């Protein structure tokens, strides 16, 4: 009997340690996600695109999930902001290379839809206000 009770007590300790490790990992992952999300709030996407009257610019926050349809003088370019990143989606251009750039989420990353002459780059808000 004593052996069974000792084994049962050791199993409880192992289960408690395992539960504490899982909780610590979950807390660390949640904190890391919060830090990543917090960083996304300071980043913006700048979209440069042509219209009949010249070059235009849109500044899009990366902290608001949304799809944008950008009317250029060539076609409508579709961009999506999701989880702190931006990407070309459902591109109307013939080769869809712009979609291959994937999700831009770091400062200084850039993507281009050459047929529509539309570019997207990611920068910090402070840097954007200096350029304007």
């Amino acid at each position: 009997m004593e052996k069974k009770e000792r084994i049962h007590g050791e199993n409880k300790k192992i289960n408690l340690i395992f539960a504490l490790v899982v909780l610590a990992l979950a807390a660390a992952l949640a904190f890391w996600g919060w830090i990543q999300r917090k960083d996304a709030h300071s980043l913006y996407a700048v979209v440069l695109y042509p219209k009949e009257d010249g070059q235009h610019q849109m500044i899009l926050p990366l902290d608001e999930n949304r799809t944008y349809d950008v009317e250029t003088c060539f076609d409508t370019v579709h961009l999506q902001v999701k989880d702190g990143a931006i990407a070309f989606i459902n591109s109307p251009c013939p080769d869809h290379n712009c979609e291959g750039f994937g999700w831009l989420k770091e400062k200084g990353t850039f993507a281009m839809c050459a047929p529509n002459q539309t570019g997207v780059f990611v920068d910090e808000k402070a840097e954007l206000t200096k350029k304007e």
Side-chain angles (χ1 to χ4, degrees), residues 2-62:
E2 288 179 28
K3 190 174 183 179
K4 281 186 178 182
E5 288 176 8
R6 188 170 42 117
I7 291 173
H8 183 68
E10 288 174 4
N11 284 342
K12 280 187 175 181
K13 286 180 186 176
I14 290 171
N15 288 343
L16 180 62
I17 291 170
F18 178 74
L20 290 174
V21 168
V22 168
L23 285 173
L25 285 173
L29 285 172
F31 180 72
W32 182 78
W34 177 77
I35 292 292
Q36 294 297 318
R37 188 76 175 148
K38 184 179 174 216
D39 289 345
H41 289 272
S42 65
L43 295 177
Y44 289 78
V46 179
V47 182
L48 301 171
Y49 60 99
K51 297 216 35 122
E52 283 78 15
D53 62 348
Q55 193 71 11
H56 285 252
Q57 170 180 297
M58 291 173 58
I59 299 176
L60 309 175
L62 294 184

Side-chain angles (χ1 to χ4, degrees), residues 4-131:
K4 281 186 178 182
E5 288 176 8
R6 188 170 42 117
I7 291 173
H8 183 68
E10 288 174 4
N11 284 342
K12 280 187 175 181
K13 286 180 186 176
I14 290 171
N15 288 343
L16 180 62
I17 291 170
F18 178 74
L20 290 174
V21 168
V22 168
L23 285 173
L25 285 173
L29 285 172
F31 180 72
W32 182 78
W34 177 77
I35 292 292
Q36 294 297 318
R37 188 76 175 148
K38 184 179 174 216
D39 289 345
H41 289 272
S42 65
L43 295 177
Y44 289 78
V46 179
V47 182
L48 301 171
Y49 60 99
K51 297 216 35 122
E52 283 78 15
D53 62 348
Q55 193 71 11
H56 285 252
Q57 170 180 297
M58 291 173 58
I59 299 176
L60 309 175
L62 294 184
D63 62 348
E64 181 182 321
N65 292 350
R66 188 171 164 195
T67 301
Y68 297 90
D69 298 326
V70 181
E71 297 286 335
T72 73
C73 58
F74 302 106
D75 214 334
T76 302
V77 175
H78 308 284
L79 298 166
Q80 183 177 19
V81 173
K82 183 178 175 186
D83 299 329
I86 188 166
F88 284 97
I89 58 167
N90 301 324
S91 176
C93 57
D95 54 11
H96 302 274
N97 285 338
C98 54
E99 293 173 20
F101 284 98
W103 292 93
L104 309 175
K105 61 182 175 183
E106 295 177 14
K107 179 182 175 184
T109 52
F110 180 83
M112 178 79 181
C113 180
N116 291 303
Q117 299 178 10
T118 302
V120 177
F121 70 91
V122 176
D123 208 342
E124 293 176 349
K125 185 175 184 179
E127 294 298 318
L128 294 174
T129 56
K130 288 179 188 174
K131 294 174 187 172

